[in-house]
Amino acid sequence: MLQNFRDISSFDGFVSGSGLIDIPLHGRKFTWYKPDGSCKSRIDTIVLGIKVKDFVSSKWQSYSIEGWGCYVVKEKFKCLTKDLKSWNRMVFSTIEKNIEKQSDVIQKLDLIDEVFGLEDYEVIRRNEAPALLFRELN
């Protein structure tokens, strides 16, 4: 039980430290139950970076579509889908390059470590690389 609490706390710390948010969903609190009721889970949780939330929010509000409710929502989703595809290509192509760069740094330092060991500055660089990846995704 204590290990489970530590795992949950660790994950919550990761989510908070990465600037991610948990979008509250309507409906039931849990979406999955173990048959004996000893375990409950919410498997439909969506976690988004703040940049994505801000982008979606600003785009959604910028669309000026007239008509009845369902039509407006449908048309806004069509516009948002188009804008998200474009934004995704622009943002994530850069992120993919940075991920590749940080992965190369990690791989090279791991190889150096296997043969010679790492200097203090290399250990620091090796430990910073994953954090840079997470920061890039935010």
Side-chain angles (χ1 to χ4, degrees), residues 64-73 75:
S64 179
I65 298 170
E66 295 183 23
W68 60 284
C70 288
Y71 172 78
V72 171
V73 170
E75 292 301 311

Side-chain angles (χ1 to χ4, degrees), residues 28-84:
R28 299 173 71 188
K29 187 171 183 180
F30 300 103
T31 57
W32 179 84
Y33 295 85
K34 196 169 182 181
D36 64 3
S38 64
C39 184
K40 301 171 188 170
S41 180
R42 184 173 161 189
I43 58 174
D44 59 351
T45 299
I46 301 171
V47 179
L48 294 175
I50 291 173
K51 286 182 184 177
V52 176
K53 179 185 173 258
D54 291 345
F55 176 83
V56 169
S57 207
S58 68
K59 284 295 184 181
W60 188 267
Q61 292 172 4
S62 73
Y63 304 136
S64 179
I65 298 170
E66 295 183 23
W68 60 284
C70 288
Y71 172 78
V72 171
V73 170
K74 178 186 78 129
E75 292 301 311
K76 281 189 169 193
F77 272 121
K78 284 169 66 175
C79 293
L80 184 61
T81 300
K82 180 182 167 207
D83 288 339
L84 279 170

Side-chain angles (χ1 to χ4, degrees), residues 76-125:
K76 281 189 169 193
F77 272 121
K78 284 169 66 175
C79 293
L80 184 61
T81 300
K82 180 182 167 207
D83 288 339
L84 279 170
K85 285 180 181 178
S86 173
W87 180 78
N88 184 48
R89 279 190 299 274
M90 180 181 69
V91 170
F92 287 102
S93 66
T94 302
I95 288 175
E96 287 173 6
K97 289 175 188 171
N98 290 341
I99 288 172
E100 202 173 299
K101 178 182 173 184
Q102 294 305 321
S103 295
D104 288 346
V105 167
I106 292 169
Q107 185 179 13
K108 287 175 184 174
L109 290 172
D110 284 347
L111 290 172
I112 292 169
D113 190 28
E114 287 176 13
V115 178
F116 304 108
L118 295 176
E119 298 289 329
D120 289 341
Y121 73 93
E122 292 171 321
V123 170
I124 292 169
R125 178 68 180 110

